[in-house]
Amino acid sequence: MAESKDCTAKSFCLRWLTAGFIGWLITFPAHAIEPGIQLSDAEKAYLEANEPIVFVSQRAYPPFEFVDDDGERQGMMVELAHWIATEAGFHAQFVNTDFSTAQAQIQNGDADVLTSFFYSKSRDQHFDFTQTIFEVPAAIFVRADRPDMARLLDLDGRRVATQRDDYAEEYLEESDIEVELVSTRNFADAAQAVINGEADAMIGDEQIVLYHLYREGLNDEMKRVGEPLYTGLNAMAVIDGNQPLQSILNKGIDQARAQGTLDRLNEKWLGQVLPSARINWRDYWPHALIVIVAALWVIAWNLRLRQLVRRKTRELRHNQKRLTEILHATRTATWELDVASGQLRVNDCWAEILGYAPEELTLSSVAQWRRWVHPDDLEEAEQALNNHLRGHTASYSCEFRLRHRDGHWLWVLDRGKVTSRNAQGQALKASGTRIDISTERHAESDLRLAASVFHNAHDAILLADSEGMILNANAAFTLISGIGAEEVLHTRATLLDHLSDGQEVWQGEVTQTRKSGEHYPTLVTISRVDNRADRSAHYVIVFTDISRQKEYENRLEHLAYFDCLTDLPNRERLTQHLAQAMANARRHGHRVVLAYLDLDGFKEINDTYGHPLGDQVLKVIAERLRGTVDGDTVARLGGDEFVIMLLHQHSDDAMQRVITTLIQRVNQPMWLAGHELRVSASVGVAYYVGQPNEDHDDIEPDQFIRQADHAMYQAKQLGKNRYHIFDSAHERAVRGHHQSIARMQQALDNDEFVLFYQPKINMQTGEVIGVEALIRWQHPDKGLLPPAAFLSDLQQHSLAIAVGEWVVNTAIAQFCAWQARGVHLPVSINIDGIHLQHPGFADWLQQTLSRYPQVKPGDIEIEVLESSALDDIHCVAEIMRHCQRLGAHFALDDFGTGYASLAYLRYLPVGQLKIDRSFVFNMLDNEEDLVMLKGVLSLAKAFQRRVIAEGVETYAHARALLALGCEYGQGYAFARPMPASEILPWVERFVLPDATITPEQ
């Protein structure tokens, strides 16, 4: 028995270590990957509109999802949900409850995702499942002392416990046995019911039940019997129809499977051997102590070896660094000359100075040296070397240039001495050093250049010592200031007062005084220059006379911010003042009033008397406005438009008195060039209250000006020579209309519009004579919208042209698709009045039809609303005739509801009239509508136009229309508008009932 325990403990430890090592090997490369889940635009839009995504999990379903003893949410499905949310980039919120409540929260919309749910056909009717994540077998569990139950049939007539709403309930209902079902909150309660004798057996998911039994030490009291009853397909679930979220979760599961995340979760939660409650660890403490002591000894020995290796490594690196610094710090090349042979032996630094590798120049020669020396320096260098070799000089020293390998020239200092002579005194060997002095040579050149710049610069330059005493001044200083250099030498430079302690550079504008006493502006730069040789400091002061620049800037600023005609502030200056006034209003709570004034009758003065006199009028008006509101800002925006900014107008009465006075002053006559001239003013008034509220949103200065401008136009429309106060509610309505137009433009760009088609029927024969194309908006949030929900905003707007072009192209393409399948269905297309009257409509239609040569005359019919306001009916008639020559026919829609029916019939070349549904709908009950309908039919007959009735809701309407002589109809009695894909199947099965063919008398 002791041997069995020892073997079990060893096996347990070995398996734990092996699992941990394999898990580390699997996890390490996985964390190096940056996967990321690629989402479609629709999926991103769904997340943006529905965040946070609420995941609901069970409190007691370990190891898939549970709440631990510390109240923390744990489990492999919870971790997978967190991983998907992180990789997909959305915010997830997690809640936990029991299994039955979790399903109800999904169905009620209180949560979005059920994290762990077995798939079944009945559940699939209410939920959309993701792909299977884990397969979980379910088995029978009984008490350890029960030998009488091992199969499903053994449960017949027994008490069987399981989790409430678990798939096991469906499984038992579909089986051929009768059981007394004991429903519990979770599998843990079901197991406790079996242990307490409240149930004979339980059916549960193996992994969850075993996890609970081993964790709670109950594995000796229960046992699993028989083979698994079924294998549950564990997945996540969303409410039925939520395809975007289902797709996002499936992408996350695919990514988790590809990255190995599912394998890691499985290994973490299901791949570990659960400890046996029968192991007594006190029996193995001597073995554990031996292992711990051995491990500590190995660690200590490794630490000692590591410390020794590190110390030796540091010593080696220090010695290597010291040797490298000695070799490279001096940058000194050495050479040795064999005079007889002319060979030169050089060190590595020689080669490095010239840009060669050391092995290339280990041996050289005097002849090669001559080729390196600059031609201008060769004679001097050879003479200096020969003089020393002959004994004429005690040593050899010369500065000359050598060619670098890349072609540029280096200055070097060459020094040497003969080290060996023969008995006759002839030199045998000489050695020496060579140093690169290019930097020193360049520095000398820079010094000479700096001296030249100092004396010839156009800017004044002063050089001062560390005490601020002036050491030198250039000629430009005298020219600018009028003060001679000798007058300022050894005097303190007061400009240094601008330089703070520790500051090395200062730049700014300083007003100085010339010798004549004149003040002038200068741009001054002060720089501190440190001399590293003697650790002293000097100061360089450079300044420029910017008098002309300042004058030019002032002129430019005046031109930029003031009107050149009236000398009033312009729009830019007004915007600056307005921004300051609005900021003060926000801080102190008072309001700012803006009056936008436009002159009435000024254009007539300009046209009659010319622009010079008109300019005089503007000057007079500017002076009147400036005198009326002394202290407030009066600006001219251009032309005859002025803006007056009024501050501290706390009451409406005070504001209105000021505005009225302004209008009265403008109305006063003026005598110019012998003419008595009069103008009036239309004034728009807007005010800013400083604090945003329901009626006043916080705005920018430009928007504030636009509000007053809009109010001015309202005053113009109300009759001029008056003022109008800006209406924020009306402005919001206009802004809402613009937003609606912008959203429909986006819908057109995103291909959100679709066409439905409603058949048109010959009510006498039952023949389908064509279809009418009707637009719908497949809104991503609001669903399918009818035309009444959005087309009203398009009336008289240019976007109606773009939408109309899309409708025409889509409808013609659909006609051609049906024709290719052997079905000829002429299509009617509705065109807005603004589209039809567009100058290029006929040319555009010709280009469009040229792309579809299979379209014949009469295949396309254009319907124009009779209630549309057609500006020039004769021009529209000419456009229609042009389009008819292209093969397009025309119909007049909603006939009888407009204001110019007879004129339209007389001038417009339409071949068909569509009777408005309002007459047809009540014709059976309303005598007036029936009379109107008869009149319309008589009018159409008189003008020889074909008639089709809209709104045929019942076959009774159809029979009545046939009795009145109307042969063609369209309405719900025959078919509702339907997608293009449903038209051909409907045409094949449509049969007109006999009751309609024979009309009642």
Side-chain angles (χ1 to χ4, degrees):
M1 185 67 178
E3 292 178 359
S4 175
K5 288 183 178 180
D6 183 64
C7 180
T8 303
K10 289 180 180 179
S11 174
F12 173 77
C13 293
L14 181 60
R15 292 177 68 182
W16 262 90
L17 292 174
T18 303
F21 179 71
I22 293 173
W24 179 84
L25 289 177
I26 295 173
T27 306
F28 179 74
H31 284 296
I33 300 174
E34 190 72 20
I37 299 174
Q38 302 299 321
L39 302 180
S40 66
D41 292 339
E43 293 166 349
K44 292 178 182 176
Y46 173 84
L47 292 178
E48 290 178 0
N50 294 277
E51 284 189 301
I53 304 302
V54 180
F55 290 77
V56 58
S57 56
Q58 303 176 52
R59 293 192 184 94
Y61 193 64
F64 291 97
E65 48 191 31
F66 62 95
V67 178
D68 62 15
D69 296 336
D70 296 329
E72 296 293 328
R73 192 178 294 104
Q74 302 285 350
M76 56 202 302
M77 296 299 282
V78 174
E79 288 190 18
L80 177 60
H82 276 289
W83 186 89
I84 292 174
T86 301
E87 292 295 299
F90 64 84
H91 174 59
Q93 179 179 336
F94 291 83
V95 297
N96 48 271
T97 181
D98 58 78
F99 184 59
S100 179
T101 305
Q103 298 179 50
Q105 288 183 352
I106 298 296
Q107 292 179 330
N108 295 337
D110 296 331
D112 300 303
V113 184
L114 192 58
T115 53
S116 187
F117 203 25
F118 279 8
Y119 170 84
S120 71
K121 291 183 178 179
S122 61
R123 291 173 175 175
D124 192 46
Q125 297 176 2
H126 306 288
F127 299 88
D128 281 343
F129 287 80
T130 66
Q131 57 182 282
T132 300
I133 305 174
F134 297 104
E135 295 185 356
V136 183
I140 301 172
F141 291 85
V142 299
R143 288 182 51 165
D145 56 357
R146 293 292 297 265
D148 55 337
M149 286 179 287
R151 301 174 304 166
L152 179 63
L153 295 177
D154 297 335
L155 302 181
D156 193 12
R158 310 272 189 175
R159 297 170 300 166
V160 180
T162 189
Q163 177 177 260
R164 186 176 296 111
D165 292 333
D166 188 72
Y167 178 73
E169 294 182 355
E170 298 182 29
Y171 181 81
L172 290 173
E173 289 179 1
E174 295 173 0
S175 64
D176 296 328
I177 62 174
E178 295 290 336
V179 299
E180 179 181 350
L181 192 64
V182 180
S183 295
T184 62
R185 291 182 306 166
N186 48 56
F187 289 127
D189 291 348
Q192 197 62 43
V194 175
I195 294 174
N196 295 340
E198 299 170 1
D200 300 305
M202 69 166 288
I203 296 178
D205 303 337
E206 282 188 5
Q207 295 164 344
I208 288 79
V209 177
L210 290 175
Y211 193 98
H212 167 72
L213 294 177
Y214 277 98
R215 182 184 180 188
E216 301 299 325
L218 302 175
N219 51 311
D220 291 338
E221 299 189 35
M222 290 190 70
K223 64 182 178 180
R224 187 198 68 186
V225 297
E227 295 295 326
L229 298 178
Y230 57 86
T231 298
L233 305 179
N234 197 14
M236 295 184 182
V238 300
I239 193 63
D240 185 48
N242 193 349
Q243 282 84 9
L245 185 54
Q246 180 191 29
S247 175
I248 294 170
L249 295 173
N250 276 327
K251 289 183 178 180
I253 295 167
D254 288 336
Q255 189 84 343
R257 183 173 285 110
Q259 298 292 338
T261 301
L262 291 183
D263 294 334
R264 290 195 297 274
L265 292 176
N266 191 73
E267 185 69 27
K268 174 179 178 180
W269 293 97
L270 301 178
Q272 301 174 357
V273 177
L274 297 175
S276 172
R278 298 180 179 179
I279 296 177
N280 187 355
W281 289 102
R282 283 176 286 183
D283 296 340
Y284 302 101
W285 71 264
H287 304 283
L289 181 61
I290 293 173
V291 172
I292 293 172
V293 170
L296 292 175
W297 182 84
V298 170
I299 293 172
W301 179 255
N302 284 336
L303 291 175
R304 181 177 178 277
L305 290 178
R306 183 175 298 178
Q307 185 178 10
L308 180 61
V309 169
R310 287 178 177 174
R311 181 166 58 81
K312 292 296 184 182
T313 301
R314 283 196 300 269
E315 292 176 359
L316 289 173
R317 289 178 177 173
H318 175 73
N319 293 334
Q320 182 180 7
K321 181 179 180 182
R322 182 169 174 267
L323 179 60
T324 302
E325 289 176 350
I326 293 173
L327 292 175
H328 291 87
T330 59
R331 293 287 296 170
T332 302
T334 62
W335 53 267
E336 184 178 5
L337 172 63
D338 187 317
V339 179
S341 64
Q343 286 188 342
L344 281 170
R345 185 175 297 276
V346 298
N347 68 347
D348 293 348
C349 192
W350 174 295
E352 292 175 1
I353 289 175
L354 296 178
Y356 291 91
E359 60 272 10
E360 293 182 270
L361 296 182
T362 302
L363 291 176
S364 185
S365 63
V366 174
Q368 191 175 25
W369 172 79
R370 289 192 181 97
R371 292 195 295 271
W372 285 334
V373 178
H374 195 286
D376 296 342
D377 303 335
L378 181 59
E379 183 178 354
E380 180 182 353
E382 285 186 325
Q383 184 177 357
L385 179 59
N386 291 333
N387 286 340
H388 175 61
L389 293 178
R390 295 188 185 110
H392 299 162
T393 57
S395 63
Y396 157 68
S397 179
C398 184
E399 294 181 6
F400 54 86
R401 286 167 287 182
L402 287 177
R403 184 188 297 276
H404 192 272
R405 186 172 190 174
D406 62 11
H408 74 273
W409 297 98
L410 300 172
W411 278 99
V412 297
L413 171 60
D414 215 19
R415 290 173 177 168
K417 192 177 180 74
V418 174
T419 58
S420 176
R421 294 181 183 273
N422 59 15
Q424 292 76 28
Q426 294 176 335
L428 299 177
K429 291 186 180 297
S431 60
T433 61
R434 177 168 293 161
I435 301 174
D436 185 355
I437 61 171
S438 300
T439 303
E440 289 78 2
R441 279 282 189 164
H442 293 156
E444 292 177 6
S445 176
D446 291 342
L447 286 174
R448 290 192 294 270
L449 180 60
S452 175
V453 170
F454 178 81
H455 291 291
N456 298 293
H458 292 286
D459 296 335
I461 303 176
L462 297 175
L463 179 64
D465 61 15
S466 58
E467 302 299 326
M469 305 304 290
I470 297 176
L471 302 177
N472 202 353
N474 68 347
F477 170 78
T478 301
L479 182 64
I480 294 174
S481 66
I483 304 172
E486 66 281 357
E487 299 179 58
V488 296
L489 293 180
H490 308 298
T491 63
R492 189 176 183 282
T494 57
L495 288 172
L496 291 177
D497 295 339
H498 296 283
L499 196 65
S500 304
D501 293 339
Q503 190 176 9
E504 296 186 354
V505 178
W506 181 87
Q507 187 177 54
E509 293 185 8
V510 178
T511 301
Q512 300 192 59
T513 306
R514 304 189 203 273
K515 189 174 183 179
S516 61
E518 177 190 357
H519 297 290
Y520 64 103
T522 59
L523 179 62
V524 181
T525 301
I526 304 173
S527 302
R528 174 190 171 113
V529 180
D530 293 326
N531 189 342
R532 296 182 181 178
D534 58 5
R535 297 184 179 179
S536 62
H538 289 76
Y539 296 95
V540 178
I541 305 171
V542 181
F543 65 84
T544 304
D545 184 356
I546 57 173
S547 302
R548 293 184 178 179
Q549 180 180 343
K550 280 293 183 182
E551 293 175 1
Y552 184 65
E553 287 179 358
N554 292 335
R555 289 198 299 271
L556 287 180
E557 181 178 4
H558 192 80
L559 290 173
Y561 294 112
F562 290 86
D563 178 47
C564 60
L565 177 64
T566 62
D567 205 33
L568 292 176
N570 60 9
R571 179 184 286 272
E572 187 69 24
R573 192 70 163 186
L574 172 66
T575 302
Q576 293 178 356
H577 288 182
L578 196 56
Q580 296 173 1
M582 293 169 71
N584 291 332
R586 285 191 291 269
R587 286 194 296 269
H588 303 297
H590 59 256
R591 68 178 182 175
V592 180
V593 177
L594 205 63
Y596 198 112
L597 186 148
D598 183 86
L599 299 180
D600 306 323
F602 177 75
K603 182 178 182 300
E604 288 75 9
I605 293 176
N606 257 346
D607 295 341
T608 304
Y609 302 105
H611 291 285
L613 190 61
D615 291 344
Q616 293 297 319
V617 171
L618 293 176
K619 290 180 180 180
V620 172
I621 295 299
E623 288 301 323
R624 290 180 179 179
L625 296 177
R626 188 154 39 195
T628 304
V629 291
D630 187 24
D632 291 318
T633 300
V634 180
R636 180 185 177 219
L637 301 189
D640 58 346
E641 295 179 340
F642 298 86
V643 172
I644 301 94
M645 183 178 70
L646 304 173
L647 301 177
H648 309 296
Q649 299 293 326
H650 299 292
S651 68
D652 291 341
D653 291 340
M655 177 198 70
Q656 292 172 6
R657 284 196 297 270
V658 173
I659 301 300
T660 302
T661 303
L662 286 172
I663 295 176
Q664 291 174 352
R665 290 296 307 276
V666 172
N667 287 347
Q668 292 177 0
M670 63 191 82
W671 286 89
L672 296 173
H675 303 283
E676 181 182 2
L677 304 176
R678 289 179 179 270
V679 292
S680 61
S682 296
V683 181
V685 181
Y687 59 89
Y688 179 75
V689 296
Q691 296 294 333
N693 54 44
E694 183 178 354
D695 296 326
H696 298 89
D697 299 331
D698 203 7
I699 57 177
E700 296 296 327
D702 287 340
Q703 189 177 355
F704 193 13
I705 296 173
R706 287 197 298 271
Q707 289 181 353
D709 186 13
H710 292 168
M712 183 272 292
Y713 276 106
Q714 291 294 321
K716 287 274 191 185
Q717 293 176 359
L718 292 173
K720 303 181 181 179
N721 194 26
R722 67 189 64 222
Y723 69 88
H724 181 79
I725 299 176
F726 175 75
D727 185 355
S728 58
H730 177 266
E731 173 67 12
R732 282 196 298 272
V734 172
R735 188 164 59 249
H737 175 72
H738 292 326
Q739 292 173 351
S740 177
I741 291 296
R743 180 61 185 89
M744 281 188 279
Q745 178 65 61
Q746 180 184 359
L748 184 62
D749 297 337
N750 296 342
D751 201 19
E752 296 177 8
F753 291 119
V754 295
L755 285 185
F756 276 40
Y757 299 88
Q758 187 175 30
K760 297 188 291 185
I761 307 298
N762 185 325
M763 297 183 292
Q764 184 71 38
T765 64
E767 178 189 0
V768 180
I769 63 172
V771 294
E772 179 182 4
L774 302 170
I775 192 170
R776 299 289 188 270
W777 184 354
Q778 188 65 55
H779 198 287
D781 300 323
K782 301 177 182 179
L784 190 66
L785 300 181
F790 59 91
L791 283 186
S792 59
D793 289 335
L794 282 177
Q795 290 182 358
Q796 300 303 313
H797 193 278
S798 59
L799 182 60
I801 297 176
V803 173
E805 291 179 351
W806 177 86
V807 170
V808 171
N809 281 289
T810 305
I812 294 178
Q814 184 59 58
F815 167 81
C816 295
W818 286 329
Q819 191 175 55
R821 297 181 61 177
V823 178
H824 183 262
L825 283 177
V827 179
S828 298
I829 305 169
N830 293 281
I831 293 294
D832 192 273
I834 191 175
H835 190 187
L836 180 63
Q837 296 175 95
H838 189 265
F841 177 79
D843 294 335
W844 171 82
L845 182 62
Q846 182 177 6
Q847 294 176 2
T848 302
L849 292 175
S850 65
R851 297 196 301 268
Y852 301 96
Q854 60 269 50
V855 176
K856 304 303 181 184
D859 291 341
I860 302 300
E861 183 180 61
I862 298 176
E863 296 187 5
V864 181
L865 284 176
E866 189 266 339
S867 57
S868 298
L870 303 179
D871 298 332
D872 188 344
I873 193 170
H874 297 284
C875 179
V876 172
E878 183 59 33
I879 294 174
M880 287 184 173
R881 282 190 285 270
H882 187 177
C883 295
Q884 282 181 333
R885 290 192 293 270
L886 300 176
H889 290 180
F890 283 88
L892 199 57
D893 198 3
D894 293 346
F895 185 74
T897 62
Y899 52 85
S901 300
L902 291 177
Y904 282 11
L905 281 176
R906 179 181 179 186
Y907 294 108
L908 298 183
V910 295
Q912 180 170 270
L913 305 179
K914 296 191 73 174
I915 302 176
D916 185 67
R917 66 181 65 249
S918 62
F919 301 128
V920 177
F921 185 76
N922 295 321
M923 63 176 292
L924 300 179
D925 306 316
N926 191 311
E927 185 66 25
E928 293 181 355
D929 285 348
L930 183 60
V931 171
M932 180 66 72
L933 184 61
K934 292 179 179 179
V936 170
L937 290 172
S938 299
L939 192 63
K941 183 177 181 181
F943 281 91
Q944 299 181 355
R945 301 289 196 271
R946 192 173 71 169
V947 178
I948 182 171
E950 289 183 310
V952 183
E953 304 295 323
T954 65
Y955 284 111
H957 287 88
R959 289 191 294 270
L961 287 167
L962 283 172
L964 293 175
C966 181
E967 186 177 355
Y968 303 104
Q970 174 183 349
Y972 287 179
F974 311 118
R976 293 176 177 267
M978 64 188 79
S981 59
E982 299 178 9
I983 285 293
L984 296 187
W986 180 90
V987 171
E988 292 177 358
R989 64 174 181 268
F990 174 72
V991 177
L992 191 68
D994 294 339
T996 306
I997 299 175
T998 305
E1000 297 178 356
Q1001 298 299 322

